[in-house]
Amino acid sequence: MQDFLIVGGGVIGMMTALQLGDAGHTVTLIERGVCGREASWAGGGIVSPLYPWRYSRPISALSSWSEGRYPELAGRLLEETGIDPEFRQKGLLYLRVDDVGDALAWAREVAKPLSRVDARTLYAKAPNAAPGFDSALWMPTLGSIRNPRLGKALRARLATMPGVECLEGREVRGLLREGERVIGVDTAGGPVLGGQTVVCAGAWSRSLLESVGVALPIRPVRGQMILFRTPPGLVERVILKDGRYVIPRGDGRVLAGSTLEEVGFDKRTTREARDSLYASALSIVPGLAECEVEHHWAGLRPGSPDGVPMIGAVPGLEGLHVNAGHYRNGLVLAPASTRLLVDQLIGCEPIVDPLPYQRALAGSSPI
């Protein structure tokens, strides 16, 4: 029996396994499909909340810690696996922001380099942005990562770690309980036991916890995105307007996203969403009208009541822990949220105060 059993092979599950493996523990990670192919694959890869000044302090605390870890993580994974997660730190331009005063006040409070720039600076940084804007907000330190490649690199690294076992294609049907302790999971291939069980199953976490009588307020929220094949240099940095964004990749492709849809566990794409995303993308960079839409897809975010993730031990059940409910910020918060939970699992000083994320679990006690 392994020291830890992790359910869910997204970026959060894989980062948890990586950190526990680094600390010398044995880990089994179980994924019903292929690791890194659900919400972790479907997102855009911006490593900051879209409008960070609009978020609560618990989210900001995790975001601030995480942001500085991605360059180091990307470099490590490239060195250890040969797969480049393509971390890019070329800043973000915000067009048409209504609450500029709040944004600048937030930046002063947290010592972030966010400033208001005039049209000349805006179009020097983004010559192909839509004309007619007389100013923008500019955050030079913001980065993005190519999340499908991040998932691929994490999966490759875990495969080389002697104490880590990854079981893909193994759907977990429920958690196994003996009295007041969770001892493992039930899968189609039989039971898998672990000393401690960690649920990192994103939008599917709720149904797993229900198998042991725990109500977890997580719901699926569909997000659709499109991908343009573009000539080099058309878009060089992330640009955000009215809650929609374009994100450049190193090979010239540009992502545009995303929708927010309460449709349950429905991952189908729709023509309506495609047309809306296309229009939003062209309103940011009109030159995208000359480019082919190469791909259109959807993923399911793990929505939670206020967007604060639920991190920590489940009250009333020994041996059961959760790291879920990150909503739109799973990739953003992954380094910090996984480190925070691992600190608690192995008895280290937590990187941030764990109470806000444990409070999020307080209403999830056994029914």
Side-chain angles (χ1 to χ4, degrees):
M1 182 174 68
Q2 303 284 72
D3 297 333
F4 294 96
L5 174 61
I6 298 172
V7 183
V11 164
I12 288 174
M14 288 192 287
M15 283 191 187
T16 303
L18 178 65
Q19 293 175 47
L20 289 170
D22 283 343
H25 295 279
T26 57
V27 181
T28 295
L29 185 149
I30 303 180
E31 164 58 38
R32 67 191 184 98
V34 176
C35 288
R37 291 293 300 180
E38 285 289 351
S40 298
W41 181 91
I46 302 173
V47 294
S48 168
L50 294 185
Y51 296 93
W53 56 90
R54 298 175 185 172
Y55 283 85
S56 63
R57 288 185 181 275
I59 295 175
S60 295
L62 294 177
S63 174
S64 296
W65 196 94
S66 287
E67 190 175 336
R69 269 63 190 180
Y70 268 112
E72 177 187 351
L73 177 63
R76 172 190 173 176
L77 291 172
L78 174 59
E79 178 69 23
E80 293 176 342
T81 70
I83 300 170
D84 186 1
E86 294 184 13
F87 177 79
R88 294 164 54 95
Q89 194 169 21
K90 294 197 172 184
L92 184 150
L93 284 163
Y94 294 90
L95 306 181
R96 201 156 66 190
V97 175
D98 294 331
D99 52 349
V100 170
D102 291 342
L104 296 176
W106 167 85
R108 287 191 297 271
E109 180 181 348
V110 299
K112 271 283 188 183
L114 177 70
S115 60
R116 188 169 190 169
V117 297
D118 59 17
R120 180 176 178 180
T121 303
L122 160 61
Y123 291 108
K125 295 185 179 300
N128 297 308
F133 292 94
D134 57 11
S135 66
L137 288 180
W138 166 239
M139 185 183 290
T141 58
L142 187 135
S144 64
I145 199 159
R146 195 162 185 168
N147 41 301
R149 294 183 64 86
L150 173 64
K152 186 178 179 181
L154 285 166
R155 181 172 179 256
R157 177 63 183 120
L158 294 180
T160 67
M161 300 181 75
V164 177
E165 176 185 30
C166 292
L167 302 179
E168 295 183 322
R170 297 281 293 273
E171 184 172 3
V172 174
R173 298 185 294 202
L175 302 173
L176 297 175
R177 177 175 175 175
E178 283 188 354
E180 299 306 308
R181 183 173 185 84
V182 170
I183 60 170
V185 299
D186 176 36
T187 77
V192 181
L193 306 181
Q196 302 285 325
T197 299
V198 182
V199 175
C200 304
W204 290 266
S205 298
R206 178 173 182 163
S207 61
L208 289 175
L209 271 293
E210 285 176 345
S211 68
V212 288
V214 174
L216 199 68
I218 289 178
R219 70 194 190 282
V221 181
R222 184 169 70 190
Q224 299 187 50
M225 299 188 69
I226 57 176
L227 178 71
F228 292 87
R229 182 184 289 274
T230 64
L234 181 67
V235 182
E236 288 291 339
R237 62 195 82 250
V238 180
I239 309 174
L240 178 64
K241 180 173 79 73
D242 301 335
R244 295 278 176 88
Y245 49 79
V246 294
I247 306 170
R249 297 304 199 203
D251 58 9
R253 290 175 170 84
V254 172
L255 284 75
S258 66
T259 64
L260 288 170
E261 304 169 72
E262 301 275 356
V263 293
F265 286 94
D266 183 354
K267 289 173 57 181
R268 291 175 295 182
T269 57
T270 65
R271 182 72 193 193
E272 179 184 14
R274 184 191 186 281
D275 291 346
S276 175
L277 292 168
Y278 186 82
S280 293
L282 268 58
S283 77
I284 298 172
V285 178
L288 289 169
E290 307 300 320
C291 303
E292 172 194 359
V293 175
E294 189 175 50
H295 191 35
H296 175 203
W297 68 94
L300 299 176
R301 307 177 184 90
S304 55
D306 54 7
V308 176
M310 302 161 201
I311 306 171
V314 175
L317 284 173
E318 295 181 20
L320 180 61
H321 312 265
V322 171
N323 197 345
H326 298 74
Y327 196 23
R328 304 188 75 176
N329 295 309
L331 193 74
V332 175
L333 307 180
S337 67
T338 55
R339 174 65 182 273
L340 176 60
L341 182 58
V342 168
D343 283 346
Q344 295 173 73
L345 290 173
I346 65 177
C348 294
E349 183 72 20
I351 55 166
V352 298
D353 182 0
L355 286 179
Y357 320 100
Q358 293 171 344
R359 288 194 195 105
L361 272 170
S364 306
S365 56
I367 298 170

